[in-house]
Amino acid sequence: MNTFHLQATIKKINRRKLIMPGIFVVFCIVMLHVTKLYNLFSLPVVTDPAQATSEYHTGTSYVNAKLSNLYYTGVNYTRGRNIKGCYYYCLYENNCYYILISASTLGLDDYSKTPPAVIFEFSCKAKLDSNISEIEALNNLVSTNLNWTSQALNMMSSKVLINQYRMSLGREYILLVFIGLTALLAIIHEFIIIVSLINPLYSRTVMRLARYGNKLELYQSACDEFETSHAYAPGITLTDNFFIAYDRHNIHIVPLDAIVWAYKFGTMHTRMLHLDISYSLSVVACDKKHYIVHHKTKDAVELVLNALQTRFPEILIGYSAGKFQS
């Protein structure tokens, strides 16, 4: 029993399906690299703000900071009238470092809107940002409060902001979970396709035959008939007992006695600044499952529909408002 040709066609279609999940996996890897979210898997611990600045300059975006002696700048980060965070500063080895702490972490609410003046010990997960204009604006405000000159404060201020507020929003973790789930689904999809390439009996095309009887017997019969049949149109074959059709992305094997309706529809495409139309053939089985093959010519689709109508007059061909009124 030679089943090579139909198996080869199924494998050819499934090999193309490896491309898209592969692209998703590569996209996830690139996103992890660009956003540096991979740092979240192993946060370096910094025990002073100078270490945080050093980590930033070596390419680290997220840290687990353990800081001490943080002083409130008197400057808040707000949205509308709501205080979202408060800026603190830390003096370390004659340098000034800024830390943005979320209002919720500070315990601020409608009843308590005054942040603590000093935080003696503070541990947090933080994102390291560098926004020179933000630091300069902070220096202008803080220098006034401290009776310093903004130029002097600029000279001693680090341009790296330890941003605990950003991490408190949880956006990085949500994005990380999204990327992880996307990559996992893509890898699972790749695995399923690889299994179907090794053994076409586990492909979706063959598994669907279980809707209409013993899938192994139906598949072997389809293979035998496919060997000795000729295509009615490119990519569409009607054997004695099966409708076998494929396009670039799908292949369908449907027992002819399970088909109750068949019709065509067109799709407009814009190619090289002019409109083009391709046709799709849809067959509907007795279990209401639609099997559709795309990118066929009008003549090819009509040839198959005429053949179905001639051989199986009980199959509904085409569609109109009158046919399906109850």
Side-chain angles (χ1 to χ4, degrees):
M1 182 179 296
N2 187 357
T3 61
F4 172 75
H5 289 96
L6 188 54
Q7 283 187 3
T9 303
I10 293 174
K11 288 183 177 182
K12 181 180 179 180
I13 299 300
N14 282 328
R15 277 196 295 270
R16 290 174 181 155
K17 292 182 177 181
L18 288 171
I19 297 174
M20 189 56 66
I23 291 174
F24 273 105
V25 172
V26 172
F27 171 77
C28 291
I29 294 173
V30 171
M31 284 294 293
L32 284 175
H33 178 73
V34 171
T35 60
K36 298 183 179 179
L37 288 174
Y38 56 83
N39 288 152
L40 294 176
F41 293 110
S42 179
L43 293 177
V45 177
V46 297
T47 56
D48 60 65
Q51 283 184 337
T53 300
S54 178
E55 289 287 348
Y56 175 82
H57 290 304
T58 58
T60 301
S61 295
Y62 305 93
V63 295
N64 191 352
K66 299 181 183 297
L67 307 174
S68 59
N69 298 324
L70 308 183
Y71 299 90
Y72 179 46
T73 62
V75 181
N76 298 326
Y77 176 77
T78 62
R79 283 188 178 179
R81 297 182 179 180
N82 298 319
I83 298 176
K84 296 297 183 179
C86 300
Y87 289 96
Y88 282 73
Y89 69 91
C90 176
L91 297 176
Y92 185 80
E93 294 183 348
N94 296 321
N95 288 306
C96 179
Y97 300 87
Y98 290 108
I99 302 94
L100 178 58
I101 305 175
S102 69
S104 59
T105 300
L106 294 170
L108 303 185
D109 53 30
D110 293 337
Y111 303 99
S112 176
K113 296 185 178 181
T114 303
V118 182
I119 301 177
F120 295 103
E121 298 291 337
F122 185 68
S123 297
C124 69
K125 295 178 181 178
K127 186 177 189 303
L128 304 179
D129 294 323
S130 181
N131 187 328
I132 295 177
S133 60
E134 182 179 9
I135 298 298
E136 289 180 348
L138 270 172
N139 285 332
N140 289 333
L141 294 170
V142 174
S143 61
T144 301
N145 295 339
L146 298 178
N147 293 321
W148 289 357
T149 64
S150 59
Q151 293 84 355
L153 193 53
N154 269 321
M155 291 179 62
M156 63 180 294
S157 294
S158 169
K159 300 305 183 286
V160 176
L161 174 68
I162 302 173
N163 196 335
Q164 184 273 337
Y165 166 73
R166 171 71 179 269
M167 289 295 289
S168 72
L169 299 177
R171 294 173 181 172
E172 280 77 9
Y173 292 102
I174 294 173
L175 181 58
L176 184 62
V177 169
F178 174 76
I179 292 175
L181 287 176
T182 301
L184 178 62
L185 291 175
I187 292 171
I188 292 174
H189 194 183
E190 289 270 56
F191 176 77
I192 293 173
I193 295 172
I194 291 171
V195 169
S196 68
L197 287 174
I198 296 172
N199 188 346
L201 289 176
Y202 294 104
S203 67
R204 181 182 299 179
T205 300
V206 179
M207 297 294 285
R208 284 173 176 165
L209 287 172
R211 297 167 178 260
Y212 313 111
N214 186 298
K215 67 177 181 181
L216 180 59
E217 292 178 359
L218 290 172
Y219 175 60
Q220 296 292 359
S221 297
C223 288
D224 288 343
E225 294 182 18
F226 188 77
E227 293 293 321
T228 57
S229 298
H230 298 284
Y232 268 72
I236 305 176
T237 299
L238 296 180
T239 70
D240 291 339
N241 296 289
F242 296 93
F243 168 84
I244 302 173
Y246 59 89
D247 52 30
R248 289 186 58 84
H249 304 290
N250 296 286
I251 179 169
H252 306 301
I253 304 173
V254 188
L256 289 171
D257 58 9
I259 298 175
V260 296
W261 181 25
Y263 62 93
K264 73 175 187 294
F265 60 92
T267 305
M268 298 294 295
H269 308 276
T270 302
R271 297 177 180 173
M272 301 299 291
L273 301 180
H274 73 276
L275 292 177
D276 193 11
I277 185 169
S278 69
Y279 286 85
S280 301
L281 174 63
S282 176
V283 299
V284 183
C286 54
D287 61 347
K288 299 182 181 181
K289 172 67 179 175
H290 286 67
Y291 298 89
I292 303 174
V293 284
H294 301 282
H295 305 294
K296 306 299 179 184
T297 65
K298 181 179 180 181
D299 290 342
V301 171
E302 289 182 345
L303 180 64
V304 175
L305 290 175
N306 289 335
L308 285 172
Q309 190 170 41
T310 301
R311 292 176 55 183
F312 301 91
E314 68 274 14
I315 296 178
L316 295 174
I317 302 297
Y319 53 87
S320 66
K323 279 186 179 180
F324 304 101
Q325 287 178 351
S326 57

